[in-house]
Amino acid sequence: MTLLVALTWDPAPWVERFRRMLPEHDTVVLGDEFDRNKVRYVATWGPKPGSLSGLTNLAALFSLGAGVDHLMRYPDLPDVPIVRVAQDDLTHRMSEYVVLHCLMHLRDQRRYDGQQRQRIWRDDRHPPAAREVRVGMLGFGVLGQDAAHKLRALGFDVAGWSRSGRPVEGFRVYGGGELDAFLARTDILVSLLPLTPDTHGILNRDLFAKLSRDGRLGGPVLINAGRGGLQVETDILSCLDDGTLKAAVLDVFETEPLPEDSPLWGHPAVTLTPHNAAVSEPEATARYIAEQIRRFERGEPLENVVDPSRGY
Ligand code: NDP
Ligand code: OXD
């Protein structure tokens, strides 16, 4: 049986691992000579139109990341189960990112970075305690919940918002219809939503204006590590300029790579990273996919299967 690796970036590190971890399968890449009828599995990120056609015996598609918006956009998506990445290595990386930036804002670290550059010794503030800062996880799935547990261990006051409002032990979870109440109690908004037709552009001026105005940080902070399509960048910039937002930490952008002329690069209240909050590390991700294939071949259900009707 054949596993096709269909990537927009260099497939070599993935092919080496799949061949090592699944020696009983043929691993091929686009451009190789191979029989499309024998392809049983595809591991992919951002497949080009046409690259998945004619796979008559396909059993499952594996996204090489947690998000699947890259697949939902694909015309003629094969009608097979789509498995996304939900494994500890990626999850822990995202939690590191979220915790890092919540702490950076709790402790006002950017201000001290600025003071250091100017050789200023000034200590005229009493930072709030973590328990006095309310973090709101916009999207309370695998990533949002793991980060929430770690933030809570540090003392932050954490709540979640999800479509279903499904209870999560130990946290107040707001359901889809309770967005305003959730925003009103949020000082640091952490966006870990998938990009779907329902969430596109959700991070806009209307939403930012509903965030808490009485928090201990002196204004709401946005952290978006979900997808760039969730945010309206002109709104983020104008809200930073008029004080609706105090600061923004952005890992994802409407256009990636972020264009050189974007005003986000030089804005003093913006921290940005190049969409690497939680990379899919090849060894851990290939191991996860190989395990899923083995489960499937033992007749066990695949895990973390996407619901195409919801888009995530
Ligand atoms: P999950 O599917 O586990 O969680 C998604 C959460 O979003 C769920 O709580 C879901 O609600 C909620 N949600 C979805 N749609 C809506 C909606 N319309 N209204 C309210 N809530 C909604 O995903 P993960 O936590 O694993 O990943 C989240 C996203 O993080 C990925 O889709 C990807 O875009 C991004 N990501 C970014 C990375 C980076 O490096 N920047 C790396 C990895 C992922 P419910 O619980 O009710 O289903
Ligand atoms: C992902 C990502 O979805 O890296 O995994 O963005």
Side-chain angles (χ1 to χ4, degrees):
M1 276 184 271
T2 301
L3 164 65
L4 168 65
V5 180
L7 295 181
T8 40
W9 9 280
D10 176 17
W14 297 89
V15 170
E16 181 275 310
R17 285 169 172 86
F18 285 129
R19 286 189 178 145
R20 172 157 48 83
M21 293 177 194
L22 291 166
E24 67 281 23
H25 293 76
D26 279 339
T27 297
V28 299
V29 295
L30 293 170
D32 286 351
E33 285 279 319
F34 63 93
D35 182 351
R36 289 194 153 249
N37 295 312
K38 290 204 172 131
V39 173
R40 201 76 179 121
Y41 312 107
V42 173
T44 186
W45 184 265
K48 294 217 170 75
S51 55
L52 305 183
S53 53
L55 306 177
T56 49
N57 281 308
L58 191 64
L61 269 176
F62 296 90
S63 166
L64 288 191
V68 291
D69 44 298
H70 64 107
L71 286 172
M72 295 298 129
R73 281 195 295 271
Y74 183 87
D76 307 319
L77 189 63
D79 185 15
V80 295
I82 299 170
V83 176
R84 66 189 199 89
V85 174
Q87 45 88 355
D88 287 352
D89 182 87
L90 183 146
T91 304
H92 295 166
R93 287 168 195 265
M94 182 58 84
S95 292
E96 289 165 9
Y97 186 88
V98 172
V99 169
L100 167 71
H101 291 288
C102 287
L103 287 174
M104 291 281 275
H105 283 284
L106 175 73
R107 302 301 298 255
D108 215 356
Q109 184 57 42
R110 286 190 57 130
R111 169 188 159 111
Y112 295 112
D113 291 343
Q115 286 186 196
Q116 181 182 347
R117 278 192 290 274
Q118 295 176 68
R119 297 171 179 260
I120 294 173
W121 182 277
R122 186 185 299 140
D123 181 19
D124 55 359
R125 288 181 70 245
H126 296 288
R131 67 174 181 283
E132 298 173 290
V133 173
R134 296 160 297 179
V135 181
M137 312 301 300
L138 194 75
F140 210 39
V142 174
L143 301 181
Q145 288 181 39
D146 190 73
H149 280 101
K150 288 169 179 159
L151 288 167
R152 196 180 51 185
L154 290 167
F156 286 97
D157 178 1
V158 189
W161 181 70
S162 68
R163 195 181 48 83
S164 58
R166 208 179 358 259
V168 175
E169 202 182 333
F171 293 95
R172 167 82 162 94
V173 184
Y174 293 78
E178 298 177 295
L179 180 59
D180 288 5
F182 165 81
L183 296 171
R185 54 78 58 206
T186 295
D187 303 317
I188 301 180
L189 181 68
V190 178
S191 159
L192 283 170
L193 283 169
L195 180 60
T196 69
D198 290 338
T199 62
H200 187 269
I202 188 171
L203 297 174
N204 59 36
R205 174 172 280 282
D206 284 354
L207 180 143
F208 301 143
K210 293 175 183 162
L211 288 164
S212 153
R213 305 298 319 165
D214 62 358
R216 288 292 319 274
L217 297 181
V221 173
L222 166 69
I223 300 176
N224 183 17
R227 278 290 179 270
L230 301 170
Q231 71 199 17
V232 179
E233 287 169 12
T234 50
D235 284 5
I236 293 177
L237 285 160
S238 69
C239 286
L240 289 170
D241 290 341
D242 70 14
T244 305
L245 286 175
K246 181 184 175 206
V249 177
L250 306 174
D251 183 55
V252 287
F253 301 91
E254 287 173 16
T255 302
E256 294 181 6
L258 183 64
E260 227 173 283
D261 62 355
S262 168
L264 290 168
W265 285 108
H267 197 289
V270 173
T271 302
L272 57 83
T273 46
H275 195 149
N276 66 354
V279 294
S280 292
E281 191 278 320
E283 187 75 15
T285 310
R287 194 179 313 116
Y288 164 81
I289 292 173
E291 274 165 24
Q292 293 293 324
I293 290 177
R294 292 221 177 78
R295 282 179 68 87
F296 181 77
E297 293 182 348
R298 286 196 301 266
E300 295 167 24
L302 291 164
E303 296 171 310
N304 305 306
V305 174
V306 170
D307 176 350
S309 70
R310 295 184 320 190
Y312 70 98

